[in-house]
Amino acid sequence: MDTFTVLLPGYGTVKGTYLGTNDYDQAYFVQLDIDNYVYVYGQTKVPTPLLQVTTLIPIADNLYKISNDLTTTQWSSVFGRGSGNEEISPCFSRK
């Protein structure tokens, strides 16, 4: 999910974080909740480690929750069949 997420406050220190690997990664959406925790949705072809789980998922659609100071992954999750192909795309086309 190659993405740089940067906190640009009106004052104070600029903070940032990076999510990604050396293979195919793509981030589609970044969203904040009411407490300014950061959620990032994307895809990767690199086996994805899940927090507190010992299995790696081969390819997955991923969702990460990052702390509001961008220093810690709060949790991560994958969804889809783990088939080795992208399964969900937020892009659509008109036919």
Side-chain angles (χ1 to χ4, degrees):
M1 294 196 328
D2 287 343
T3 182
F4 290 96
T5 306
V6 179
L7 176 63
L8 300 170
Y11 58 91
T13 306
V14 173
K15 297 179 181 179
T17 191
Y18 170 80
L19 288 173
T21 68
N22 60 354
D23 204 334
Y24 168 84
D25 301 294
Q26 190 159 344
Y28 287 106
F29 300 110
V30 176
Q31 180 70 44
L32 300 177
D33 69 13
I34 195 167
D35 296 316
N36 290 323
Y37 284 89
V38 179
Y39 297 83
V40 180
Y41 161 73
Q43 297 172 331
T44 184
K45 287 194 175 188
V46 173
T48 303
L50 298 178
L51 300 177
Q52 302 174 357
V53 178
T54 56
T55 3
L56 296 177
I57 308 300
I59 183 174
D61 295 283
N62 299 295
L63 184 62
Y64 286 87
K65 179 181 180 182
I66 304 169
S67 61
N68 53 15
D69 63 358
L70 304 178
T71 60
T72 308
T73 298
Q74 301 292 306
W75 53 257
S76 60
S77 186
V78 297
F79 47 95
R81 295 177 297 181
S83 65
N85 297 307
E86 295 86 353
E87 296 180 33
I88 297 174
S89 176
C91 303
F92 64 91
S93 63
R94 293 182 171 171
K95 293 187 178 185

